[in-house]
Amino acid sequence: MEIAKQMAGFSPARADDLRKAIGKKKRDLMATIKEEFLEGLGESGTERTVATDLWSLMEAAADYSFNRSHAACYALIAYRTAWLRANYPAEYMAALISSVMSTKDKVPFFVNRCDEMGIEVLPPDVNASNHGFVVAGNCIRFGLDAVKNVGHAAVQAILDARAEGGDFTSIWDFCERVDSRAVNKRAIECLVKCGALDSTGASRRGMLEALPRATSAGQKSQEDSRLGQGSIFDLGGGQGQGAAGGRGQHPPILMDEYDPRELLSLEKETLGTFLSSHPLSEVRDALRAAVDCPLADLSSKPDGSIVTAGGIVTEMKHHKTKRGDPMAFLTLDDVEGQVDALILGQAYVNARESLAVDTVLVVKGRLDHQERGQTKLIATEVSAFEPSDDEVARARSARTSSPVVVRVRAHEWAPSLVDELKAVFEHFPGRAEVVLEMQTREGLRKLRFGDGYRVRDSAALHAELDALLGSGARAA
């Protein structure tokens, strides 16, 4: 901007137009400014060759447009975060997930990354959790602020009651001690569903059945306390008789529990992710081998791309097109992310029997990023994913033991190839070792990438390597 103002006579506003054109890589706007810039330099006595060289430098800047001060700041931040992740992985991930709690899709994504890093994420607990995600030993405790329908004020009321009176012993104790004006029945229901009151020893089903009576009793107890009224059990002067006696009058909570699939569904409903387990746990590796793109990566693919993705159907609605043909909207979840899919036409007809909630599907289709910035998958082929036990075992074995081997002829590639490969591997973190086999004039040379570049062996990784190297350069 200073060159444009001092040497070309640009006004501050016009110089800012040039800055925007360079920063946004708007070549058409730069073309309209070029002659004005060169003429201004001529009027200030600058030689034409010097003026042309200056303009060439500005055009080159548009190719990267990143000044040194920004680069230095980003480099420092990158170094610090990399150091934290390497040396304090649990603390780093806890802080990272806490920073994205308000973003629906980010929490499940990073919780899954914790699993791949060997960090266990413990369920929320009213007797142990805080607002955000916190480190508990070598694990991370889920933050209460991330539970749906439980706001910051409600969590603060829970923490205040816990600090004042100790751990909560039952759903009745919780409702009596936590300010009912801050924590409503809906919030408590979500806390029960996600397992945040499991530490009281009662079943979730039993607590949900007792919840209406527990909230009513808690509200009455708090109202009486605010009005200065007591119950008959507060009389007599015995130490501790009031609270203990009052709670002792509550009926016992039934111990019947939901089946595991229903419990997982309640977790997904309230946490946005399956935490204690996942319906795809057993077939996860086999599914990754069958698709070319995890659901979490779909939003970064170009609009209109043809991809093959897969996951479990968590939601589905049947509709009819304007012509009366059947169609379906469904949501796929693959542990790392989720996507909405549209099934219609022949794809619907061929897959009709497989379109049901809790079914694992493999869907090939076209990506559509157009509607309100959301990604949809328009299906062209849909099939149920039903791998055999052998396929599951082979996929799991390949992920944990077999290295990914990349073979190249050294003379065909520049020295920057290693850095380009590292950039690819960083997008597919996993457990498989990577070996680069290079055919040189002196013979075969092998380069083993460090543990920081272990990958998840999948069709998506193979597709990226094929795009970089060509299909003949890689051997799994």
Side-chain angles (χ1 to χ4, degrees):
M1 289 179 65
E2 287 303 314
I3 291 174
K5 288 189 294 182
Q6 298 287 343
M7 299 180 67
F10 278 27
S11 67
R14 192 56 173 162
D16 192 53
D17 289 340
L18 178 58
R19 179 196 62 79
K20 290 177 181 177
I22 295 173
K24 301 296 183 181
K25 300 177 175 58
K26 295 182 177 180
R27 301 286 183 179
D28 53 343
L29 180 56
M30 289 180 66
T32 63
I33 302 175
K34 179 178 180 179
E35 286 305 319
E36 182 181 354
F37 179 82
L38 295 177
E39 289 176 5
L41 287 176
E43 292 175 0
S44 67
T46 304
E47 293 184 6
R48 184 71 178 185
T49 55
V50 175
T52 303
D53 288 343
L54 279 174
W55 183 257
S56 297
L57 289 173
M58 291 184 176
E59 284 186 317
D63 291 332
Y64 58 91
S65 191
F66 211 74
N67 61 48
R68 291 180 182 178
S69 59
H70 277 77
C73 292
Y74 279 120
L76 181 60
I77 292 171
Y79 172 78
R80 286 174 173 172
T81 53
W83 185 87
L84 286 170
R85 189 183 187 279
N87 294 279
Y88 297 92
E91 288 81 357
Y92 172 78
M93 293 304 294
L96 177 61
I97 303 174
S98 295
S99 72
V100 298
M101 285 192 298
S102 60
T103 307
K104 180 181 69 172
D105 297 332
K106 291 294 184 180
V107 170
F109 177 80
F110 287 119
V111 167
N112 179 67
R113 284 289 176 266
C114 289
D115 178 60
E116 293 183 346
M117 294 168 65
I119 302 171
E120 182 182 2
V121 179
L122 303 173
D125 185 347
V126 294
N127 287 324
S129 292
N130 209 309
H131 282 285
F133 288 68
V134 295
V135 175
N138 294 323
C139 306
I140 294 175
R141 176 69 68 176
F142 205 97
L144 292 177
D145 277 7
V147 180
K148 291 183 179 178
N149 301 316
V150 181
H152 185 88
V155 174
Q156 190 59 51
I158 294 170
L159 299 181
D160 291 343
R162 190 174 79 196
E164 181 179 350
D167 287 354
F168 302 103
T169 59
S170 69
I171 185 71
W172 303 97
D173 180 42
F174 182 86
C175 291
E176 288 173 354
R177 289 169 50 195
V178 177
D179 190 346
S180 60
R181 295 168 296 184
V183 186
N184 58 30
K185 179 181 175 183
R186 187 182 184 190
I188 301 173
E189 180 180 329
C190 289
L191 289 169
V192 172
K193 285 182 176 180
C194 72
L197 278 94
D198 285 1
S199 59
T200 63
S203 69
R204 297 183 202 180
R205 184 171 188 169
M207 286 188 283
L208 288 176
E209 290 179 356
L211 183 58
R213 289 171 292 161
T215 52
S216 295
Q219 289 170 358
K220 186 176 186 307
S221 175
Q222 293 179 30
E223 185 65 24
D224 289 346
S225 178
R226 284 192 288 270
L227 294 175
Q229 298 178 359
S231 73
I232 189 173
F233 301 103
D234 294 326
L235 303 177
Q239 185 177 0
Q241 291 294 315
R247 288 196 294 271
Q249 302 308 304
H250 299 309
I253 296 175
L254 298 177
M255 294 306 294
D256 292 343
E257 186 58 284
Y258 297 110
D259 64 48
R261 186 173 290 275
E262 288 177 298
L263 289 174
L264 288 177
S265 178
L266 293 177
E267 286 183 8
K268 181 66 187 299
E269 174 190 338
T270 52
L271 301 180
T273 184
F274 299 103
L275 192 60
S276 58
S277 183
H278 196 285
L280 290 178
S281 296
E282 290 301 314
V283 299
R284 179 177 176 180
D285 295 319
L287 180 63
R288 282 177 168 174
V291 303
D292 59 27
C293 186
L295 298 184
D297 293 347
L298 293 181
S299 60
S300 63
K301 298 289 184 180
D303 186 49
S305 297
I306 302 300
V307 299
T308 300
I312 187 170
V313 179
T314 57
E315 297 179 34
M316 189 178 64
K317 293 181 181 179
H318 290 277
H319 292 278
K320 288 187 180 295
T321 65
K322 293 180 179 180
R323 296 187 299 179
D325 298 328
M327 61 182 293
F329 292 100
L330 56 84
T331 301
L332 289 176
D333 186 295
D334 73 346
V335 184
E336 297 182 22
Q338 61 182 31
V339 69
D340 293 330
L342 173 62
I343 320 293
L344 71 168
Q346 195 60 42
Y348 180 95
V349 173
N350 294 341
R352 186 194 305 266
E353 300 300 322
S354 303
L355 298 180
V357 172
D358 294 335
T359 301
V360 182
L361 299 177
V362 172
V363 180
K364 181 178 181 180
R366 175 178 56 82
L367 291 178
D368 182 355
H369 299 315
Q370 299 303 314
E371 187 175 341
R372 298 188 301 276
Q374 297 180 347
T375 298
K376 281 187 171 58
L377 182 59
I378 313 301
T380 54
E381 298 177 21
V382 181
S383 60
F385 184 68
E386 299 172 339
S388 65
D389 291 343
D390 287 343
E391 289 173 324
V392 172
R394 282 198 302 271
R396 187 175 293 124
S397 176
R399 175 178 65 83
T400 57
S401 58
S402 300
V404 174
V405 180
V406 179
R407 294 179 179 142
V408 297
R409 293 183 177 86
H411 69 276
E412 295 180 354
W413 298 96
S416 61
L417 174 63
V418 172
D419 290 332
E420 294 178 50
L421 287 171
K422 286 180 178 179
V424 172
F425 299 149
E426 287 174 346
H427 286 86
F428 299 91
R431 296 179 174 88
E433 184 183 38
V434 179
V435 178
L436 175 62
E437 294 186 353
M438 296 179 289
Q439 191 65 45
T440 70
R441 293 174 181 174
E442 289 77 27
L444 185 65
R445 294 289 185 269
K446 291 185 178 182
L447 170 65
R448 295 184 182 277
F449 286 80
D451 288 343
Y453 295 99
R454 286 181 176 265
V455 297
R456 181 180 73 249
D457 193 4
S458 65
L461 171 62
H462 296 175
E464 291 289 338
L465 290 175
D466 289 347
L468 176 63
L469 306 172
S471 58
R474 174 190 49 79

